[in-house]
Amino acid sequence: MMAALFAAREGARVALMERNEKLGKKLYITGKGRCNLTNAADAETFQRRIYRNPRFMFASFAALDNEATMRLFESLGVPLKVERGGRVFPVSDHSSDVIRALARELDRLGVEVCLNARVKRLVEEAGACRGVELSDGQRMEADAVILATGGVSYPATGSTGDGYRLAETVGHTVQAPRPSLVPIETRESWPGTLMGLALKNVALTAWQRGPKGEKRIYSEMGEMLFTHFGISGPLVLTLSGLLPDDLSTVRLAIDLKPALDEQTLDARLVRDFRELSRKQLQAVMDGLVPHNLGLQLLVLLRIPATAPVHSVTAEQRKALVRLLKAVPLTPGALRGFDEAIVTRGGISVREINPSTMESKRMPGLYFAGEVMDVDATTGGFNLQIAFSSGALAGLSAARREAGA
């Protein structure tokens, strides 16, 4: 939609081929239905939040950065607000308002929106892309084609990899798609006993083993959640986008008390043990962590929750301190594309001109959004990648049509 909007504003005649029965099905579910359409971060922070190929996006952000995106939507009648972490939402908290605003503008600009129009193949003539053929056999001729099909996350919205297949038929390389910004299954089963328990103000750290030893690949403080299969929540989703293909090289640790170092935490436990010496150990745990989590930690330490506090040895107390500072977990697998916010991988950016979004393999073919091998963390960054690359692709395609 953004590509069509910018191409039409540049004066091109535009037809938008929409596979679904309505526009914006994937946009509708973003931000849990509220549409976290961008982030108010500064340019440097924005670049750091892009996991793969951030430099590729320089020209796209020059064409339409986050501030310009906010101005655009407000000019289209969508008042915006900025929430925690710089996340930008419509004031109404309704993603449908964003979709309707784009649809109104496309209609005003005379864009032909073709619903239930699935593209079967790209039409090639004299070495250039000259249109598309639809699944019903209809052929649409054009001076330029923009491929903005998304990846393979949330396939129920129509993202089933069509763009990858179309690009491969004209010689493009596709980096293997993987789910990203997705919950993590753990090898340990005990997180399942805490299903639904949310943790706030904890730190999650990940290390990866390599030929030169172990290195830390992630460490952030925030919120996470235990699930029937492992872990989820903001910290976990962000981590998932940074994990290597081989999860067997990775170990995780949750710091339940990141504001305290081990020495300070141990001093607190000594004090608690003294004050509650006649109680059961669970009474001390209840003052430190949620009840069920405390029980599980004692199971991991093989110390009975009913043990009198005065019976706990100094060695056991120090082991408890170490566990509170680093609860070990082992990632077993990422959850699937049905739960992934974005797709990692896609069409290799080495085969796309970053200044125009045009294919280096086939003149007249342009790319935008998640179909390319560019992805970022949560918080509106991925939608901004889509909007910015769409804007640049639309402008570039329109200028090609005009012979510029």
Side-chain angles (χ1 to χ4, degrees), residues 31-332:
K32 298 180 179 178
R34 297 173 60 214
C35 194
N36 178 195
L37 54 87
T38 189
N39 195 286
D42 59 46
E44 184 180 343
T45 301
F46 225 99
Q47 289 292 326
R48 289 202 306 269
R49 294 294 186 267
I50 301 176
Y51 289 150
R52 267 157 288 282
N53 303 309
R55 295 175 63 83
F56 175 79
M57 291 300 300
F58 284 165
S60 292
F61 288 146
L64 183 77
D65 64 9
N66 52 342
E67 293 182 0
T69 298
M70 289 186 273
R71 289 195 299 271
L72 170 63
F73 279 107
E74 294 199 318
S75 75
L76 296 178
V78 184
L80 304 176
K81 60 182 176 180
V82 181
E83 296 188 357
R84 180 175 56 85
R87 290 167 165 81
V88 178
F89 294 90
V91 169
S92 67
D93 283 332
H94 293 144
S95 56
S96 55
D97 289 346
V98 175
I99 298 167
R100 278 196 292 267
L102 288 169
R104 281 195 307 268
E105 182 66 359
L106 293 179
D107 183 61
R108 185 188 73 81
L109 292 166
V111 172
E112 179 186 359
V113 176
C114 305
L115 301 176
N116 297 302
R118 187 172 185 177
V119 173
K120 181 170 70 174
R121 73 179 185 93
L122 301 172
V123 174
E124 180 182 357
E125 288 181 4
C129 191
R130 301 293 293 175
V132 297
E133 183 181 319
L134 304 183
S135 56
D136 63 2
Q138 182 182 3
R139 180 167 164 154
M140 307 281 289
E141 295 186 352
D143 294 297
V145 173
I146 302 171
L147 203 58
T149 56
V152 284
S153 54
Y154 294 123
T157 64
S159 295
T160 55
D162 285 6
Y164 303 147
R165 291 188 288 273
L166 292 170
E168 284 179 321
T169 63
V170 294
H172 274 280
T173 304
V174 175
Q175 306 295 330
R178 290 183 56 204
S180 188
L181 304 186
V182 68
I184 297 173
E185 297 177 6
T186 58
R187 292 186 184 179
E188 296 85 358
S189 60
W190 64 258
T193 68
L194 302 174
M195 182 176 63
L197 176 63
L199 301 178
K200 295 184 178 182
N201 300 317
V202 299
L204 179 63
T205 302
W207 295 268
Q208 181 183 5
R209 293 190 312 276
K212 296 184 179 180
E214 193 174 62
K215 67 174 181 178
R216 188 173 68 180
I217 58 174
Y218 176 80
S219 187
E220 293 288 342
M221 186 171 158
E223 301 177 14
M224 61 176 292
L225 174 75
F226 289 110
T227 70
H228 66 282
F229 54 77
I231 51 177
S232 186
L235 288 175
V236 176
L237 298 184
T238 300
L239 167 63
S240 71
L242 296 168
L243 290 175
D245 292 341
D246 184 2
L247 295 182
S248 68
T249 64
V250 177
R251 69 179 179 93
L252 311 177
I254 307 169
D255 184 347
L256 297 170
K257 297 293 177 183
L260 304 176
D261 59 26
E262 283 196 16
Q263 184 177 357
T264 305
L265 181 57
D266 188 44
R268 173 180 168 175
L269 278 181
V270 169
R271 185 178 67 250
D272 291 349
F273 277 26
R274 184 171 59 247
E275 293 175 354
L276 301 171
S277 63
R278 295 182 181 275
K279 301 284 188 179
Q280 294 181 345
L281 183 55
Q282 184 58 54
V284 173
M285 299 304 294
D286 285 346
L288 293 167
V289 294
H291 179 76
N292 288 342
L293 177 57
L295 290 176
Q296 182 58 56
L297 295 179
L298 293 178
V299 169
L300 294 176
L301 289 171
R302 298 178 182 175
I303 304 174
T306 56
V309 171
H310 63 75
S311 71
V312 178
T313 66
E315 183 179 339
Q316 288 175 319
R317 188 192 75 239
K318 290 184 181 297
L320 175 57
V321 169
R322 289 193 295 271
L323 185 61
L324 287 166
K325 291 295 291 178
V327 181
L329 282 173
T330 313

